Amino acid sequence: MLVKTYAAAMLGIDARLVTIEVNVSKGVKFYLVGLPDNAVKESHERIMSALQYNNIPWPRRQVIINMAPADIKKEGAAYDLPLAVGMLAANETITGEDVSQYIMMGELSLDGALRPVKGVLPIAIMAREMGFKGFIVPKENSHEAAVVNNLNVYGAESITEVVQFLNHETTIEPTQVNTREEFAKADEQFAFDFADVKGQEFARRAIEVAAAGGHNILMVGAPGSGKSMMAKCIPSILPPLTLHESLETTKIHSVAGKLMRDASLIKSRPFREAHSTVSDVALVGGGANPQPGEISLAHNGVLFLDELPEFKRSALEVLRQPLEDRRITISRAKYSIQYPASFMLVAAMNPCPCGNYNNPNKECTCAPGVVQRYLSRISGPLLDRIDLHIEVIPVSNDKMLESAPSEPSREIRRRVIAARNIQGERFKDETGIHCNAQMTPKMMRKYCPLDAECTKVLKTAIERLHFSARAYDRILKVARTIADLDNSPQIAPNHIREALSYRNLDRENWGG
């Protein structure tokens, strides 16, 4: 008897339907074809043990299973459940006629319990689009899948429960999640707040501008000046995720297996901190079994790189394309995958190996030329893609001992949200553009017109500092954001001057 069940394979962050064709006939052999990896081939032993433990008869005939399409590699243990159900249905142990109306995913333990799997959310989206009656998943994945409306999601705890459900011997209540209500309950709690940051008015203002426009920022300063702490405060001033952004972010984390158990939606913007020893693949994604990297896990959020010159040159250079295009394309001999990577890059570094260059309190002990060589570890093309690079001076003792709290994050966030609302209205007719940092050159000509005085100020700076065309674009975008924070419809000369003040590493005397 020939029976078809349905599962899915992941291509990037999207799911593709996999049809599992099971034929039970005369004979004694077991065949599994359709480009399965070792984990899928080992499902034979897991399924056999699970069925024996639960007193469910194993087909004592020849079993041939084809996983189509055969040109896509099937990876992981998540195919255990649809394979087992297909064999039982072909052996007429499952007599329900609607087996082929469900998509199923789940890993079987040896006692028949269902273990959670990753990538459930994109599969649920695909199941709804293709009109399946329901989606059967391990119970721990049910809340994640039920985020997709207009799809019945059944969370099961064991293979026995699934068999009884398909035989109409028992019922499983569909998991209900009101996506909008769940999202509305978001209660963002932040461990770091700008109220705890003493002094650093210039750096705080620069970070506010960066957050308001979604700009990349590099902080250069001595150890202990507060760079890392301020970076960790940035999520507390970013606008809350929209429902669309939340679904998109949750989808990426679901594919990577980073969601907590019984999770439904990611409600806070991601903050990912990569160590300086990170590999190229871990940063951008890919690998033998393609997975999203740190830049994709930071999508719609912040990627923090501390001690930037200590990163491998190759790891930093692979950031150039995603910083510009806001997506990463990974091409290999056997696949080409695209992951979203629209993140805000926040980087921090010491100004020199000893850390005290330009420190008013300590003398730099580096030899002549060492500072410049240290800074040269960050390539010019990468620096061009960072909109703001600022100097962070250590806080004086008087400032540190002040008892009065600094301005809290909630006040800064209010201004940031107001600026983002202006940008949302400005770009409402532009597809995929949500903030000033995402503007294309064509949009800049439309939304960043300059009067004669602004042009004169910018021309003088370009001639003196020898800006590249990309740096010129970055300055205009930052000036547009500063104007939005001032609620100004036009860019004024003071906005240009402030934007230029955030290009510290472009100064001729920086680094000797």
Side-chain angles (χ1 to χ4, degrees), residues 123-160:
I123 297 172
I125 294 171
M126 181 201 70
R128 182 184 62 182
E129 291 173 350
M130 301 191 71
F132 279 89
K133 182 178 179 179
F135 185 17
I136 301 175
V137 294
K139 198 167 187 67
E140 293 178 15
N141 290 124
S142 59
H143 275 81
E144 178 189 340
V147 167
V148 179
N149 297 323
N150 304 317
L151 176 70
N152 289 328
V153 175
Y154 301 96
E157 296 181 347
S158 67
I159 182 65
T160 302

Side-chain angles (χ1 to χ4, degrees), residues 62-278:
Q62 179 171 278
V63 179
I64 301 175
I65 302 176
N66 178 43
M67 306 177 75
D71 60 336
I72 297 177
K73 190 165 187 176
K74 322 303 183 302
E75 299 171 331
Y79 295 101
D80 288 359
L81 180 60
L83 288 172
V85 169
M87 283 192 289
L88 294 176
N91 197 44
E92 299 183 348
T93 303
I94 293 177
T95 57
E97 299 177 355
D98 53 357
V99 170
S100 62
Q101 297 181 32
Y102 296 94
I103 279 188
M104 307 172 207
M105 297 297 286
E107 177 184 345
L108 283 174
S109 61
L110 295 184
D111 63 358
L114 286 174
R115 299 180 185 274
V117 296
K118 59 186 181 181
V120 164
L121 181 57
I123 297 172
I125 294 171
M126 181 201 70
R128 182 184 62 182
E129 291 173 350
M130 301 191 71
F132 279 89
K133 182 178 179 179
F135 185 17
I136 301 175
V137 294
K139 198 167 187 67
E140 293 178 15
N141 290 124
S142 59
H143 275 81
E144 178 189 340
V147 167
V148 179
N149 297 323
N150 304 317
L151 176 70
N152 289 328
V153 175
Y154 301 96
E157 296 181 347
S158 67
I159 182 65
T160 302
E161 190 176 359
V162 175
V163 171
Q164 291 174 348
F165 171 71
L166 293 172
N167 279 333
H168 307 295
E169 297 170 0
T170 187
T171 58
I172 302 176
E173 290 299 321
T175 303
Q176 300 290 338
V177 173
N178 187 322
T179 308
R180 295 188 180 277
E181 185 178 315
E182 185 85 6
F183 182 72
K185 289 180 182 176
D187 183 22
E188 294 180 301
Q189 299 291 333
F190 302 103
F192 295 89
D193 192 289
F194 273 104
D196 302 321
V197 178
K198 301 292 185 181
Q200 299 295 5
E201 286 79 8
F202 177 75
R204 289 163 62 102
R205 169 64 177 178
I207 290 172
E208 179 181 338
V209 171
H215 303 289
N216 305 316
I217 182 169
L218 169 63
M219 293 178 282
V220 185
S225 56
K227 304 184 298 295
S228 297
M229 183 179 181
M230 287 189 288
K232 292 174 182 177
C233 290
I234 290 176
S236 67
I237 66 172
L238 290 174
L241 285 169
T242 64
L243 180 56
H244 173 74
E245 288 175 330
S246 177
L247 285 166
E248 192 176 34
T249 305
T250 305
K251 188 176 175 182
I252 297 169
H253 284 247
S254 172
V255 170
K258 302 293 184 182
L259 287 182
M260 301 293 288
R261 287 188 174 185
D262 296 320
S264 53
L265 282 174
I266 290 178
K267 301 163 189 173
S268 300
R269 292 190 180 273
F271 181 87
R272 304 291 301 184
E273 184 173 359
H275 192 264
S276 58
T277 58
V278 68

Side-chain angles (χ1 to χ4, degrees), residues 295-339:
I295 63 174
S296 295
L297 293 171
H299 181 63
N300 293 323
V302 174
L303 176 65
F304 178 43
L305 304 181
D306 203 0
E307 303 299 342
L308 193 64
E310 305 303 326
F311 283 75
K312 290 189 302 180
R313 183 70 173 248
S314 59
L316 292 180
E317 293 308 301
V318 295
L319 286 175
R320 286 159 58 173
Q321 182 245 333
L323 282 174
E324 197 73 19
D325 300 336
R326 299 191 174 270
R327 63 181 181 273
I328 177 70
T329 303
I330 300 167
S331 298
R332 300 291 184 267
K334 295 183 179 180
Y335 64 83
S336 180
I337 292 175
Q338 192 173 93
Y339 291 116

Side-chain angles (χ1 to χ4, degrees), residues 379-494:
S379 69
L382 181 61
L383 272 180
D384 268 356
R385 288 168 168 82
I386 300 177
D387 306 351
L388 299 88
H389 16 94
I390 61 169
E391 188 174 2
V392 181
I393 303 298
V395 181
S396 65
N397 293 334
D398 293 338
K399 281 282 188 182
M400 285 293 295
L401 296 174
E402 282 185 358
S403 58
S406 303
E407 184 180 30
S409 291
R410 66 175 179 273
E411 294 299 322
I412 304 173
R413 192 186 205 197
R414 180 179 52 79
R415 297 194 294 269
V416 168
I417 291 174
R420 286 287 185 105
N421 288 339
I422 293 173
Q423 294 164 44
E425 183 64 25
R426 175 183 300 133
F427 303 126
K428 63 182 179 182
D429 297 326
E430 307 286 354
T431 304
I433 305 296
H434 308 289
C435 58
N436 289 334
Q438 299 173 336
M439 281 193 291
T440 64
K442 183 179 179 180
M443 293 177 193
M444 290 173 58
R445 290 194 297 271
K446 180 178 179 181
Y447 299 118
C448 302
L450 300 178
D451 59 21
E453 190 174 354
C454 288
T455 303
K456 181 180 178 182
V457 171
L458 197 51
K459 182 180 179 182
T460 302
I462 290 172
E463 291 175 350
R464 179 183 170 188
L465 300 175
H466 308 291
F467 285 132
S468 68
R470 185 177 285 113
Y472 167 80
D473 287 350
R474 295 298 199 257
I475 292 167
L476 272 187
K477 291 178 183 179
V478 172
R480 179 66 268 175
T481 299
I482 296 169
D484 291 340
L485 284 167
D486 285 350
N487 199 21
S488 170
Q490 298 296 327
I491 297 175
N494 60 305

Side-chain angles (χ1 to χ4, degrees), residues 15-32:
R16 182 167 175 182
L17 186 68
V18 171
T19 303
I20 297 174
E21 303 169 329
V22 184
N23 187 30
V24 174
S25 58
K26 290 182 180 181
V28 292
K29 293 187 177 181
F30 178 89
Y31 300 96
L32 178 59

